Every structure is written in C-alpha cells, then in structure tokens.
C-alpha cells in the first residue's frame, strides 16, 4: 500500500513529502493509523548523517501514537480501534539471552530500529513514524491507556520517557533516595517528572538560572546551577543516583563527586565529541560507578506507559505540521523548544 510520508533523500537535502510503500499486514502484524509522532534529536542526527550508516530515503520517527486499523489472523493482543504506541524498535532476534530476558534493546544480533533498520520490506530498511501508517509485529506494539486529550503528549514517552524511566527503575529510584537529573531538556524534563512520581527527592541541575522555576514546576525539590561552585559543593557526596541527560561533551567529575559511596552516574545522552576522561581516583575511593543505559525492552516500555498513565505524566510539547519539520529541526539546534516537538499526522 502507498502511504504519504515525510523524509529526506540525502544528508544535504531537506525533509520533503514523499510516497512510501507499507506491507500488507501479515499473520502477526498490526496496522496502525498514526495520529502523532514525536520529533527526537536522534531523527535530526540520522537524517543529516551525523551518525554513521544512514540509509536513504530516510523517514524518521520512533515516538508513534495511533489507532489499530487492521490485525493479522494470529494477533491476540490487539484489535481494530485500540489506541497503541510504537517506540524505538520494531524487531529483534527473539532468541538471544537479552531477548529472552525482555531486553530486546540489547539484542545480541542487533535490534531492528523503527527507522534505518534492516528489513525485507522495500526499500530494504525500515521507514518510521513521519508517515500516515505503519505495520508492526504485535510483539513491538504497546497499549496506550492515557485519555484521548493527552495522546499527542504521550508520543515522546516512547523514547524520552522510556530512556529516563529504564535507568531510574534499574537503579531502584524511589522513596528515601536522593536523585539528580542533569539537563532540563527533552529527556531531562521527563526524568524529573518520573523520578518525582517514583517518590525520590529530586534535584535538577541546569546551567541556566532562567530554568529554575520551570524545573520546580516539573517536580524538582531542589534546583542547582551547575556553573556555581558553591551550589555544587553544597551537595558533595550526597546523591544515590544521578541521571545525566546532556548530549554535549562535558566534565563528568563535577557530577560523580556528588555521589555517595556506591552511587552511580548514568549517562543517556550521546555527545558529538567524547567527554573528557574522568578522574579514576574519584571513582575508586568511593566505589562510585559511571554507567550508561539504552531505552528499555518492550515489557518495561509498557510498564512505563502504564506508570505514566497512572500518574498523569506526559511530555511538555509543541505541536507542528509536517511541513514544519525542517523549521523544528533548526529550532532544536538552538534549544528553542520546551520541551518536545510532536507532528500532527493529519497534516501529512
């Protein structure tokens, strides 16, 4: 079937309207009419070949919310009319140790990304959610239980939400824990909301005094200007866990030194250039750790969506038309969004 979409034909070409082909639903497939798709910084990096391996035409988008319009004969978990989501992956080997443990994002043969992943469907790689429709194996489709009026703001949960929820959950964030969130952007604002809902004492780190009240409004108990040595020193050796969402190269020692013994600094932002090498002694003498985390498995992503529905958590968004994607990209580069752009698929 032919579907309208927005994509790029080369790294130096803009996002434009294109026609793409979607397969007819197979026995275990779910066909989804897309209502909303979030714009992730990963989309921009991929479209412009800032990360290696972009395949063209490139149709980005892995923060998808829509409704089921058809299901294959062997599908048991979904029916036409269901409100559903699709996140960052649409396939994995389903046989390795990671997949067996519900950690498909760490599939030993490589997960299949919602876009730019290998597939037998034309054109040989997956095409994402900047489109009217998508067909996905039911194993990688998620139930969305938020109310109708929240659906556009649910879309970024499929990437930004699970990217922050998974490490917070893995490192047992909750009541009695002091947790730092570094960066109050697309990822960070979700980290603050989720950590607050988990019952932790949340400290937001920002380099901008203008974001202080906004961080409190998101749920931060305290806000620290990370450029102020006195404010940073006041929190030395006091954190159980710090989630660093910043995707630019910066000094990790400034934050690892704030950890208690056995505390963890977890990185979820991928910088264009490597971070300066951390001070090893800073880690050794307090048994501190610097770790990383990548989205979440399907079971955990469903858990995140249900948790967010229960706690009325959604992203703070600005809606854009499909013909405004390029302008949104340019604004993202200037950090001129609070906090996520979402495409109205009705404008495709």
């Amino acid at each position: 079937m032919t579907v309208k979409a927005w994509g790029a034909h080369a790294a130096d070409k803009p996002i434009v309207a294109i026609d793409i082909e979607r397969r007819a639903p197979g026995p275990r497939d779910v066909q989804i009419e897309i209502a909303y798709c979030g714009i992730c910084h990963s989309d921009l990096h991929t479209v412009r070949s800032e990360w290696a391996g972009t395949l063209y035409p490139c149709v980005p988008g892995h923060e998808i919310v829509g409704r089921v319009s058809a299901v294959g004969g062997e599908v048991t978990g979904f029916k036409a009319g269901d409100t559903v989501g699709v996140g960052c992956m649409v396939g994995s080997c389903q046989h390795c140790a990671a997949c067996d443990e519900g950690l498909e994002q760490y599939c030993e043969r490589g997960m299949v990304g919602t876009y730019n992943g290998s597939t037998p469907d034309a054109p040989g790689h997956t095409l994402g959610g900047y489109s009217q429709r998508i067909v996905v194996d039911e194993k990688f489709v998620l139930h969305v239980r938020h109310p109708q009026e929240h659906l556009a703001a649910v879309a970024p949960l499929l990437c930004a939400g699970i990217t922050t929820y998974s490490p917070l959950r893995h490192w047992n964030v909750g009541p009695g824990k002091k947790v730092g969130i570094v960066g109050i952007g697309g990822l960070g604002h979700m980290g603050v909301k989720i950590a607050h809902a988990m019952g932790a004492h949340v400290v937001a780190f920002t380099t901008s005094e203008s974001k202080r009240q906004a961080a409190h409004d998101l749920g931060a108990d305290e806000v620290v200007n990370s450029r102020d040595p006195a404010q940073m020193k006041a929190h030395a050796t006091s954190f159980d866990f710090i989630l660093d969402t910043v995707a630019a190269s910066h000094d990790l020692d400034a934050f690892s030194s704030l950890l208690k013994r056995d505390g963890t600094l977890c990185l979820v932002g991928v910088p264009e250039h490597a971070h300066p090498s951390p001070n090893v002694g800073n880690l050794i003498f307090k048994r501190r750790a610097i770790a990383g985390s990548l989205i979440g498995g399907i079971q955990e992503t469903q858990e995140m969506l249900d948790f967010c529905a229960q706690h009325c958590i959604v992203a703070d968004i600005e809606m854009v038309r499909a013909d405004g994607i390029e302008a949104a990209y340019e604004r993202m580069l200037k950090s001129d969004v609070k906090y996520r752009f979402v495409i109205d698929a009705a404008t495709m």
Side-chain angles (χ1 to χ4, degrees), residues 75-339:
V75 172
T76 59
F78 301 91
K79 64 183 185 305
D82 284 351
T83 303
V84 296
V86 177
C88 300
M89 54 186 170
V90 293
S92 70
C93 80
Q94 297 290 297
H95 301 299
C96 68
C99 288
D100 287 345
E101 293 176 42
L103 299 171
E104 298 94 343
Q105 75 273 35
Y106 301 120
C107 176
E108 292 166 17
R109 297 185 183 179
M111 69 172 181
V112 179
T114 304
Y115 62 88
N116 209 51
S118 178
T119 177
D121 301 341
H125 58 272
T126 52
L127 304 170
Y130 292 12
S131 57
Q132 295 177 313
R133 178 182 298 156
I134 194 167
V135 179
V136 180
D137 185 303
E138 74 164 324
K139 290 179 184 284
F140 292 86
V141 180
L142 300 141
H143 288 283
V144 174
R145 299 184 170 96
H146 286 73
Q148 169 74 27
E149 62 270 22
H150 290 170
L151 295 185
V154 168
L157 300 184
L158 277 305
C159 178
I162 187 57
T163 295
T164 51
Y165 180 91
S166 184
L168 292 170
R169 183 82 167 77
H170 180 76
W171 274 277
N172 299 310
V173 165
K177 296 291 183 72
K178 183 176 177 181
V179 174
I181 307 293
V182 183
I184 314 300
L187 292 176
H189 94 287
M190 291 307 313
V192 171
K193 289 186 178 190
I194 292 170
H196 174 77
M198 289 176 167
H201 180 88
V202 182
V203 180
F205 291 93
T206 179
T207 58
S208 175
E209 276 296 326
S210 64
K211 292 186 177 181
R212 182 174 293 275
Q213 186 57 50
H216 280 301
D217 293 343
L218 291 168
D221 298 287
E222 300 181 66
V223 180
V224 172
N225 186 329
S226 58
R227 289 178 173 165
D228 184 337
Q231 290 185 44
M232 294 290 280
K233 186 177 180 180
H235 289 271
T237 323
S238 67
F239 285 87
D240 298 284
F241 181 76
I242 297 176
L243 182 65
D244 189 336
T245 71
V246 176
S249 177
H250 59 280
D251 176 19
L252 301 182
D253 293 339
F255 298 102
S256 63
S257 64
L258 303 183
L259 295 168
K260 295 178 179 176
R261 173 175 46 81
D262 293 325
T264 298
L265 171 65
C266 179
L267 312 178
V268 291
V270 180
E272 182 180 357
H273 304 291
H275 296 300
S277 181
N279 182 329
V280 175
N282 200 26
L283 306 178
I284 290 174
F285 286 97
K286 290 288 184 182
R287 203 161 57 188
R288 295 162 170 149
I290 296 176
S293 180
L294 174 69
I295 56 171
I298 294 301
Q299 181 178 343
E300 188 174 51
T301 305
Q302 185 65 66
E303 178 186 298
M304 177 276 303
L305 284 171
D306 293 343
F307 176 89
C308 288
Q310 178 186 354
H311 292 275
C312 299
I313 295 173
V314 292
D316 289 15
I317 67 165
E318 180 180 334
M319 292 282 286
V320 297
R321 294 174 50 86
D323 58 9
I325 295 170
E326 275 292 326
Y329 279 4
E330 294 307 313
R331 286 180 56 193
M332 284 168 60
L333 290 172
K334 300 173 184 176
S335 299
D336 180 23
V337 56
K338 192 177 177 179
Y339 290 94

